[in-house]
Amino acid sequence: MTIGTVLAPSVLLAAAVATPPVPTFTTSVEAVYVDAFVTRDGQPVGGLNAEDFEVSDNGVRQGVSLVSVEAVPIVAVMVFDVSASVAGVRLDDLRAAGRALIAGLRPQDVPALVTFSHEVQIAVPLGGDPSTVRRAVDKLEAGGHTALWDGLYAGLKMPVAGGRPLVIVFTDGRDDLSWLSQEQVLKVARESEAVVYVVAITPRYEEVVKGASIMRPERELVEPAHVRLVRQIAEATGGRLWYAGVSAQLEPTFLRILAEMQSRYLLSFAPTGVARAGWHRLSVKVKGRKGTVRSRTGYFVAADARPAPAR
Amino acid sequence: MLLVATVAEAAGPSATYRDAIERYRRGDRYVAGETAWTERVSDEIGQLKRLPAEGFPYEAAAMLHTDRDIYERDAAEQAEEVAPDTAPHLDAARQILALIRDDERRRAFERPWFLAVTLHLYRRGQWPLALHYVDEALRRYEDDPLLLLARGSLIESQVAADLPSTRADVLVTTSNRETAVFNRRSELYTRLGDAEATYRRALRVMPDLVEARVRLGRVLHQRGDSSQAAAELAVAAAHPQADQATRYLAWLFLGAAREAEKRPPEAVEAYRAAVALEPESTVAAVALSHALHEAGERGAAQDVLRTALSGGRRRRDWDAWWNYRWGRSHEVEARLAALRQRAMR
């Protein structure tokens, strides 16, 4: 995760000051933040320290420190598919899952709501209180086509006022009307500070036919293209794709995402030994023990990026 | 007596069929939903071909069959069944219209009928069948710009639906998946080339058909010739005869072409023009925001979204982009109504 476009970790400043010994950052220090989730045998691994992590920036090892996630608010942007296929029980379950997610947030966390069908709406921008978001969730209506990429773009571009941005996308179909392409949104996601989780109600596999002989075609199960694309976006940000199976699973899935977000590690480092501008490939590992780390694959610094003013 | 009756029958279609046509001609559209007259259609048309009467209401007969096709497709839709991918009643109508010997009379009805039928199938998503009819029409009326526009739009719509986003979308027909993906993309590229050629034909006949120029620009952009696309789209955007929706699309597509040309400021400028034309459009706002983001103006990109997408209400029911893949198929009812009116007089 990069914060303040890498240069200005002011997002974390208030929390850092309020809760010693969280490090205090200033805008004079260029800092990169990496939101990482560590698992072993599918279970989250807790209790790690900064020295347990090995972080490389474009192949160059970096010295890292750990920021307390308890102190940092989660900025939870819900991006919900409200196209026609969601109408009915699925929408009821989505409303319930949205309410549960809002209820599961801590007092310092900040929710927002973006919806998309053929039209994208910022139903509740950041800054509103949770009850406003809850009321908007209750009023969700379904209809129309699916502009998934445009909706996800709007979620990624929500101005994060402070905290760790989390984008939770719900969809049950494939995009059929976006202006933006999935490649364009993938690029924006890679450059964004958000961790993206996608919750999909869709078949995991579809059958395709292959084989040189038309008389003896071989059949193969593959991940549907639209699922693969949202998974790519989620994984590029250090998030993941969840299959909800049926809509009744939306609520436990949302809560699991929230729990996962609260189990993550927030690593910080000041890049050294690497060129400043351009794409930075990140590698995060745990040292001396078994574990799988899920984190964003890199970050981007524009050539003309300037430190942002402190807030 | 029996011999006379047999001769009379041999001289024309059955009384049931004639009666249905006559009722239709007098304004009874409901006859299209009845089944009695539909039972021996190929025989009836065989009989019609032997009929010397120039005064026969061929137009009414053709529209009766056309409305029968609409009736059957409506019924399939209501029953949530797959609509048939053949159209025997449209084929019957086509054969009936071909029987009109007077060239002027036939052309006056057949040409708009082909366009209406193409749009009718287009709107129902029966694109291969629609393409079959528009190709049939263009064999007879090769320079009709509206038929050419419909053909190009249909090809674009089919390509958009078929365009594989990743290899997983490809129905692999060889053991080498990479080759299959390449072949598939090449095929789609070729089909877009067909659309490009079709729009160019339309514009040669009617240079002021701005919609064809906008679509030509988009197809050129999709085929990778963004510079040429931008040139066509700039002409379309400035054309005095462009209506608001067409001009809006021209600016939107010009923005995309400029982005592909790596000219972000000009992309932003084009998208701003689209927003100025349609301030309520969320599509244009998303496009402008993304162009600003790519131009490095991240704050401005957020501002555009906040202004355009906030409010928690559905802003519009219609956007030219949402309907782009449906071409002019929204005109179908008006075109069919005009044909019915002529057939029923």
Side-chain angles (χ1 to χ4, degrees):
Chain A
M1 180 175 78
T2 62
I3 290 188
T5 323
V6 178
L7 303 171
S10 53
V11 162
L12 298 179
L13 188 56
V17 169
T19 318
V22 176
T24 301
F25 304 110
T26 72
T27 53
S28 62
V29 179
E30 291 191 5
V32 176
Y33 293 84
V34 184
D35 210 315
F37 187 60
V38 184
T39 55
R40 186 165 52 237
D41 300 328
Q43 296 301 313
V45 177
L48 299 179
N49 299 308
E51 53 269 25
D52 293 319
F53 288 93
E54 181 181 304
V55 176
S56 298
D57 183 333
N58 277 341
V60 179
R61 287 269 293 273
Q62 305 289 326
V64 297
S65 54
L66 206 55
V67 180
S68 166
V69 292
E70 285 79 17
V72 183
I74 293 171
V75 179
V77 180
M78 295 177 278
V79 179
F80 287 172
D81 181 345
V82 290
S83 61
S85 57
V86 177
V89 174
R90 208 168 268 190
L91 185 63
D92 293 340
D93 289 336
L94 179 63
R95 289 193 194 108
R99 284 194 298 268
L101 181 82
I102 296 162
L105 293 172
R106 303 164 305 176
Q108 69 267 38
D109 296 335
V110 186
L113 178 64
V114 173
T115 61
F116 64 90
S117 53
H118 48 276
E119 189 172 56
V120 181
Q121 283 187 50
I122 299 174
V124 184
L126 289 168
D129 68 275
S131 62
T132 309
V133 186
R134 197 178 303 115
R135 279 197 297 276
V137 166
D138 284 338
K139 287 181 186 170
L140 287 176
E141 288 178 12
H145 287 261
T146 307
L148 168 61
W149 308 126
D150 289 357
L152 179 49
Y153 172 77
L156 288 166
K157 290 298 292 179
M158 288 285 267
V160 176
R164 300 160 62 210
L166 160 68
V167 174
I168 299 181
V169 182
F170 160 74
T171 184
D172 73 340
R174 64 189 308 161
D175 188 288
D176 61 2
L177 213 61
S178 279
W179 173 257
L180 299 176
S181 68
Q182 66 270 18
E183 289 85 2
Q184 287 174 313
V185 177
L186 175 60
K187 182 169 179 285
V188 173
R190 281 192 172 129
E191 294 173 12
S192 124
E193 302 165 7
V195 179
V196 176
Y197 284 87
V198 179
V199 183
I201 297 179
T202 182
R204 283 176 193 239
Y205 301 107
E206 67 185 9
E207 191 175 80
V208 297
V209 180
K210 69 167 195 172
S213 166
I214 200 165
M215 300 302 290
R216 286 192 302 110
E218 296 171 29
R219 295 177 191 283
E220 186 181 356
L221 290 176
V222 298
E223 187 175 45
H226 66 287
V227 176
R228 177 189 163 119
L229 293 165
V230 289
R231 186 169 55 73
Q232 277 180 344
I233 289 177
E235 290 176 357
T237 66
R240 63 170 288 193
L241 167 70
W242 291 86
Y243 289 98
V246 294
S247 59
Q249 287 299 309
L250 286 175
E251 183 173 329
T253 306
F254 279 19
L255 293 176
R256 200 166 168 184
I257 289 168
L258 204 52
E260 187 169 309
M261 199 64 186
Q262 287 157 355
S263 308
R264 296 177 76 105
Y265 295 91
L266 189 55
L267 307 171
S268 163
F269 68 93
T272 53
V274 290
R276 184 169 171 281
W279 176 251
H280 292 242
R281 182 171 39 83
L282 282 176
S283 162
V284 182
K285 296 176 183 169
V286 283
K287 292 189 286 193
R289 61 174 83 191
K290 287 183 180 174
T292 304
V293 181
R294 213 166 59 229
S295 63
R296 65 183 308 109
T297 54
Y299 67 96
F300 181 78
V301 183
D304 56 352
R306 296 280 183 275
R311 291 172 213 177
Chain B
M1 191 67 177
L2 180 64
L3 181 64
V4 171
T6 307
V7 168
E9 277 182 18
S14 69
T16 306
Y17 189 66
R18 281 172 174 267
D19 179 59
I21 294 168
E22 183 55 22
R23 281 172 58 200
Y24 186 89
R25 192 188 66 75
R26 289 180 184 171
D28 178 6
R29 268 189 70 194
Y30 292 105
V31 69
E34 296 173 6
T35 52
W37 66 272
T38 66
E39 286 168 2
R40 297 171 54 244
V41 168
S42 57
D43 289 347
E44 306 287 12
I45 290 175
Q47 292 295 335
L48 261 182
K49 285 177 180 171
R50 295 192 192 99
L51 197 69
E54 194 56 39
F56 188 82
Y58 293 106
E59 293 89 344
M63 287 310 295
L64 172 63
H65 281 285
T66 304
D67 274 332
R68 179 71 196 183
D69 182 85
I70 292 167
Y71 172 83
E72 289 183 359
R73 285 176 204 285
D74 282 346
E77 274 181 22
Q78 281 167 13
E80 297 187 350
E81 292 169 356
V82 177
D85 57 3
T86 57
H89 283 285
L90 294 182
D91 199 47
R94 182 184 56 77
Q95 291 181 60
I96 290 167
L97 290 175
L99 295 176
I100 303 175
R101 291 177 191 163
D102 180 330
D103 276 355
E104 194 176 333
R105 176 183 163 189
R106 187 181 66 250
R107 293 170 68 88
F109 199 88
E110 190 182 51
R111 185 194 286 237
W113 178 84
F114 267 120
L115 183 58
V117 161
T118 299
L119 298 180
H120 151 62
L121 295 167
Y122 193 166
R123 191 178 61 165
R124 288 168 187 263
Q126 301 232 268
W127 298 340
L129 203 51
L131 202 56
H132 166 79
Y133 274 92
V134 80
D135 279 342
E136 175 80 26
L138 284 165
R139 276 193 282 278
R140 297 163 196 230
Y141 306 103
E142 62 182 9
D143 289 335
D144 187 308
L146 294 183
L147 287 169
L148 289 164
L149 179 65
R151 183 177 190 276
S153 310
L154 274 165
I155 296 170
E156 270 192 276
S157 300
Q158 281 188 301
V159 169
D162 293 350
L163 191 66
S165 305
T166 71
R167 67 187 66 188
D169 257 359
V170 178
L171 189 66
V172 183
T173 53
T174 79
S175 57
N176 184 325
R177 185 162 281 186
E178 295 301 327
T179 305
V181 172
F182 178 80
N183 289 346
R184 182 73 164 144
R185 287 182 185 270
S186 298
E187 182 212 326
L188 297 176
Y189 184 84
T190 303
R191 283 161 61 189
L192 284 175
D194 188 6
E196 178 191 332
T198 304
Y199 292 137
R200 288 194 189 281
R201 274 174 65 189
L203 286 165
R204 272 198 295 276
V205 182
M206 191 189 279
D208 290 335
L209 188 58
V210 189
E211 185 182 336
R213 196 170 299 283
V214 169
R215 287 181 171 273
L216 171 63
R218 175 157 170 83
V219 166
L220 286 165
H221 167 61
Q222 286 184 295
R223 297 191 85 212
D225 190 350
S226 296
S227 171
Q228 185 63 36
E232 295 289 353
L233 290 163
V235 170
H239 199 288
Q241 289 180 27
D243 61 29
Q244 172 127 332
T246 307
R247 197 184 305 278
Y248 159 75
L249 284 175
W251 283 118
L252 268 186
F253 297 159
L254 181 57
R258 294 301 192 203
E259 283 192 279
E261 288 186 292
K262 308 284 182 208
R263 294 164 75 170
E266 284 159 276
V268 168
E269 187 185 338
Y271 289 135
R272 281 198 197 284
V275 170
L277 274 174
E278 298 283 0
E280 292 277 291
S281 167
T282 54
V283 177
V286 167
L288 173 59
S289 168
H290 181 261
L292 287 164
H293 172 92
E294 287 298 303
E297 297 182 45
R298 307 291 163 97
Q302 290 176 331
D303 290 344
V304 167
L305 288 184
R306 190 168 53 240
T307 304
L309 308 186
S310 294
R313 64 186 171 88
R314 290 272 154 109
R315 296 170 70 88
R316 41 197 289 133
D317 296 324
W318 188 88
D319 190 296
W321 166 248
W322 297 337
N323 295 282
Y324 182 75
R325 74 170 57 178
W326 297 101
R328 288 194 173 185
S329 59
H330 59 278
E331 293 177 355
V332 64
E333 286 306 337
R335 290 189 178 278
L336 285 169
L339 288 168
R340 285 186 195 109
Q341 193 173 18
R342 287 168 62 182
M344 290 175 179
R345 63 192 171 193

